[in-house]
């Protein structure tokens, strides 16, 4: 069955381009130009994934509004923010509203598709819990790749896709310093170094929320980050 | 020249005020004194007119003055009794080239005393040589009365005594009895004589003979060169009595012989005994009238036998004159002289001038004090005002400089003095307006980059997604080439936009950044290790202390170092070095990041940190918007420090000097 993707974007050219790109990859894709028409379109049935621009026509924060409304209707609906705005504040508010990922518009279609695929895979994995799913185990950390779920001391850590891949990159080779560029490549993020920094901060916070004594991610100034090598 | 100094110079003009006051006080004093002087002269003229002219003797310039004494003198050849009155009372003082003769006369009742001193460096005693008698140095005295004259030769005999040899007598009377005493002095001799007073009316003549070395003609020195004899004059009691009736108490008047001898005197000068002026008043008065006062001692009746002075000289020539004399620290005397008769006699009236002194003193000092007070108050007031003005201007200047340096931070502090109603307030208000304009313009400029990048992102996304879609269409080789070129251009554009929004994003995120304790050395050495891998070409030289603990955002500092490294590598020539050095400051650290290479133009040293300013040449292949150093400045400021770019002193390259506060509770843009 083909998945249904909704794109809410006020710029017609981008909307059309994305729609045609997703269609080419075999997704069923529909574009909406503002909040009202999107809500009207979702009345009967929610799509499998919604990609929302934050600024919608006359509403500069319309995307956030829409995200809140959709979350109200479904807790599991995957939502990706795709926006020209890239301030950390926006990223934080977007993710706090329960978006699954936050991408800036300068991401290439290739990357965007990769992220969408990853999200769907994660949703699949969550729906059919598969103990055989490949795992990375590093000390107290368990990463279920199929489901993109992270466990710390068997407690789930709610990571976004981007964060999950970063943790994955770091934890696979503990003690190895990963530069920002490597992290960006692995997480399919096309942003600059300072965004990586704020991602790492958020990852730390999420782990600390689960385990206050968590300090396994080291900053190596000028080089990057590493997962501390535990006592062998 | 500062405002205060200008006003100080201006205040010097005010110093003319006390000078003017001084001058006017002097004028007042002079005027008062002249008026008093006129009054004195009138009084003197009245006395002169009231005198019985018939009492005045006739005068001749040859008159010999006899001093009246009130007790007999010892005729012993010593002059101590004669020392009591002034040397000026020598009535005759003649000189030759080898010797001099002086004569003084005194009278007591019927006696007439004479003191004769001869100064002679070549004394010759009387001697007998070759059978002839030579008298040596001696005196010849000729006394006259109405009946004739008697001439004596006075010779030393045994020391102390005198031999009198009558050498010519014009009458057949016995020569009048003359006794005397002869004293040899170191140079010359002194003779003291006593004669009958009866000789007074006619006169006497005295000749000193100096035989010199005994060769050639002896030298003579006579009182009356013409060979006559000089009449004697003395203090006239009758005249004095009459003068006393005309003289007011407290004043003193004199009648003077044309030669200045005192013929009569009356009255006592009484100064201001009570309430004498204080020391500073005297000083003030001396300053006030100093150059018009003669400084002399007071005259004393009976001691001063002969008076001198400008006013006496003037009266002797027929004029009138008042002179003012300071006779002691506290008292001033006025002396008014008018002529008496036609022969050159003088009436001199002396009055104390103390009340005048006091009056002028008080008025002058009051005036002076008042003007000084006024000047001082005015000068101090002006100075205070100017100080206040310059303080306000300086405050305004400092505040505007601060505002100017904080333009970038968008704080809107009111300038001091904006509420004042004067020109400075006006200036402050217009400055405030100006800064407001500047600030909003600055804000606009700053937000321009992020707005622009934000606005451009959407069309760029359109371009890129369209190009990517295009790849999936069947295209000719050429079309593919075009598409890939468009793709390249789009990705370059994307880099530019992300660089443009980086600074703005950083500014927004600074406040949320949490500070941690870390070691600056670790950050620097870690970063440099990374750079060595990425840029092996320039030499990286690091000079770090053992530890540099500080509180802040290490990842931001690493980002800052990245920008600086990127910048330095871009400018460093092949074989050059990049040097990092951390040194301790009092409350923080200094980080110097320098590289060999071309120097900065002077004008760029300040601007270089502004966004969209780049000192690089246009040949640079890389996208370079000059945003890197702007970010460096943001990060340094967030750490409570400052950054300057400067050329090294030796001209080998450029260095960035950053100060970082070691304790920072919170990052503030």
């Amino acid at each position: 069955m083909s998945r249904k993707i909704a794109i809410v974007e006020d710029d017609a050219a981008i909307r059309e381009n994305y729609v045609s790109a997703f269609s080419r990859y075999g997704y069923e894709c529909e574009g909406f130009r503002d909040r009202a028409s999107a809500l009207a379109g979702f009345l009967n049935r929610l799509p499998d994934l919604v990609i929302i621009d934050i600024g919608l026509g006359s509403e500069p924060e319309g995307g956030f509004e829409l995200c809140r409304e959709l979350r109200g209707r479904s807790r599991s609906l995957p939502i990706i923010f795709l926006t020209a705005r890239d301030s950390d504040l926006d990223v934080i508010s977007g993710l706090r509203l329960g978006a699954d990922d936050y991408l800036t518009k300068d991401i290439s279609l290739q990357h965007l598709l990769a992220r969408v695929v990853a999200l769907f895979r994660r949703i699949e994995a969550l729906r059919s819990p598969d103990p055989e799913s490949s795992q990375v185990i590093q000390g107290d950390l368990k990463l279920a790749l199929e489901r993109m779920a992270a466990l710390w001391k068997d407690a789930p850590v709610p990571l976004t896709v981007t964060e999950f891949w970063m943790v994955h990159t770091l934890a696979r080779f503990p003690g190895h310093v990963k530069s920002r560029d490597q992290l960006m490549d692995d997480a399919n993020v096309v942003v600059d170094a300072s965004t990586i920094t704020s991602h790492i901060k958020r990852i730390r916070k999420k782990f600390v929320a689960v385990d206050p004594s968590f300090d396994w991610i080291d900053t190596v100034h000028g080089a990057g980050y590493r997962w501390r090598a535990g006592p062998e | 020249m500062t405002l205060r100094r200008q006003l100080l110079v201006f205040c010097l003009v005010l110093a003319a005020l006390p000078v003017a006051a001084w001058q006017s006080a002097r004028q007042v004093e002079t005027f008062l004194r002249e008026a008093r002087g006129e009054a004195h002269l009138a009084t003197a003229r009245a006395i002169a007119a009231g005198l019985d002219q018939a009492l005045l003797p006739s005068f001749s310039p040859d008159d010999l003055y006899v001093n009246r004494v009130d007790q007999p003198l010892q005729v012993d050849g010593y002059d101590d009794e004669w020392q009591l009155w002034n040397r000026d009372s020598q009535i005759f003082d003649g000189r030759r080239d080898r010797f001099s003769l002086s004569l003084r006369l005194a009278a007591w009742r019927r006696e007439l005393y004479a003191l004769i001193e001869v100064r002679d460096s070549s004394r010759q005693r009387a001697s007998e040589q070759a059978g002839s008698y030579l008298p040596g140095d001696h005196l010849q005295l000729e006394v006259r009365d109405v009946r004739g004259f008697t001439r004596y030769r006075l010779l030393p005999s045994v020391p102390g005594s005198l031999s009198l040899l009558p050498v010519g007598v014009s009458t057949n009377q016995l020569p009048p009895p003359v006794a005397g005493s002869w004293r040899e002095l170191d140079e010359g001799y002194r003779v003291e004589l006593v004669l009958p007073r009866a000789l007074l009316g006619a006169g006497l003549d005295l000749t000193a003979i100096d035989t010199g070395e005994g060769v050639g003609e002896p030298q003579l020195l006579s009182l009356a060169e013409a060979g006559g004899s000089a009449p004697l004059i003395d203090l006239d009691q009758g005249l004095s009595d009459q003068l006393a009736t005309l003289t007011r108490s407290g004043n003193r008047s004199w009648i003077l012989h044309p030669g200045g001898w005192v013929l009569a005197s009356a009255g006592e000068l009484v100064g201001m005994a009570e309430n004498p002026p204080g020391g500073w008043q005297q000083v003030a008065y001396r300053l006030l009238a100093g150059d018009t006062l003669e400084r002399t001692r007071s005259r004393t009746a009976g001691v001063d036998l002969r008076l001198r002075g400008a006013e006496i000289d003037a009266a002797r020539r027929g004029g009138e004159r008042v002179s003012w004399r300071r006779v002691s620290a506290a008292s001033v005397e006025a002396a008014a002289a008018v002529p008496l008769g036609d022969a050159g006699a003088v009436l001199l009236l002396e009055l104390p001038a103390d009340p005048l002194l006091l009056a002028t003193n008080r008025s002058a000092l009051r005036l002076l004090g008042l003007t000084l007070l006024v000047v001082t108050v005015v000068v101090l007031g002006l100075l205070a005002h100017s100080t206040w003005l310059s303080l306000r201007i300086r405050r305004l200047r400092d505040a505007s400089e601060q505002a100017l340096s904080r333009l970038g931070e968008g704080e809107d502090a009111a300038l001091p003095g904006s509420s004042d109603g004067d020109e400075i307030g006006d200036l402050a208000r217009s400055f405030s307006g100006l800064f407001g304009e500047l600030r909003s313009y600055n804000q606009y400029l700053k937000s321009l980059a992020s707005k622009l990048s934000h606005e451009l992102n959407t069309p760029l996304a359109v371009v890129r997604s369209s190009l990517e879609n295009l790849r999936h269409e069947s295209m000719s080789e050429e079309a593919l080439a075009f598409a890939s070129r468009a793709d390249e251009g789009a990705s370059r554009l994307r880099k530019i936009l992300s660089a443009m929004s980086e600074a703005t994003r950083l500014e927004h995120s600074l406040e949320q950044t949490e500070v941690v304790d870390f070691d600056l050395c670790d950050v620097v050495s870690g970063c440099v290790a990374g750079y060595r891998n990425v840029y092996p070409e320039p030499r990286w030289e690091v000079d770090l202390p053992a530890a540099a603990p500080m509180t802040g955002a290490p990842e931001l500092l690493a980002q800052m170092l990245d920008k600086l490294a990127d910048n330095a590598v871009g400018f460093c020539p092949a074989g050059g070095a990049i040097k990092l050095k951390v040194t301790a400051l009092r409350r923080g650290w200094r980080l110097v990041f320098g590289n060999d290479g071309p120097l900065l133009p002077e004008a760029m040293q300040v601007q270089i940190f502004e966004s969209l300013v780049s000192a690089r040449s246009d040949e640079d292949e890389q996208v370079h918007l000059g945003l890197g150093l702007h970010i460096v400045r943001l990060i340094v400021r967030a750490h409570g420090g400052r950054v300057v770019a400067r050329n090294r002193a030796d001209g080998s390259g450029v260095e960035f000097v950053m100060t970082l506060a070691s304790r920072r509770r919170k990052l503030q843009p």
Side-chain angles (χ1 to χ4, degrees), chain B residues 1-7 390 394:
Chain B
M1 201 141 133
T2 63
L3 210 57
R4 274 170 73 189
R5 204 164 298 165
Q6 285 173 25
L7 269 168
S390 37
R394 208 167 296 160

Side-chain angles (χ1 to χ4, degrees), chain A residues 11 13-14 17-18 20-21 24 84-88 105-106 108-110 190 192 194-195 197 201 205 221-222, chain B residues 454 457-458 461-462 464-466 468-469 472 494 498 501 505 509 512-514 523 526-527 530 554-555 558 562:
Chain A
D11 188 288
I14 293 182
N17 273 346
Y18 284 172
S20 56
R24 197 166 43 239
R85 295 160 61 155
D86 55 358
S87 76
D88 283 352
K105 275 183 185 171
D106 53 9
S108 69
L109 277 176
Q110 233 61 19
V190 189
D192 51 43
S194 58
T195 312
T197 308
K201 277 189 181 159
K205 275 201 182 119
H221 298 297
Chain B
H454 174 219
N457 257 331
T458 310
V462 175
R464 295 188 70 213
S465 54
S466 305
E468 284 178 6
N469 279 333
H472 298 279
R494 190 179 58 79
S498 77
S501 55
R505 269 222 321 284
S509 64
Q512 271 91 36
T513 309
E514 289 172 8
V523 177
C527 286
E555 68 278 359
D562 289 351

Side-chain angles (χ1 to χ4, degrees), chain B residues 168-224:
Chain B
V169 181
S170 70
T171 62
N172 39 18
Q173 290 180 350
L174 280 176
V178 176
S181 169
W182 183 291
R183 288 252 161 242
E184 286 291 332
L185 300 177
D186 288 345
E187 283 200 335
Y189 49 90
R190 184 188 301 126
V191 178
E192 199 168 6
L193 298 173
V194 57
L195 314 101
R197 174 77 181 272
L199 297 167
L200 254 178
L204 62 87
D205 188 13
L206 177 72
T207 306
I209 294 104
D210 176 24
T211 53
E213 304 297 322
V215 290
E217 281 295 299
Q219 282 200 336
L220 304 183
L221 189 57
S222 291
L223 289 188

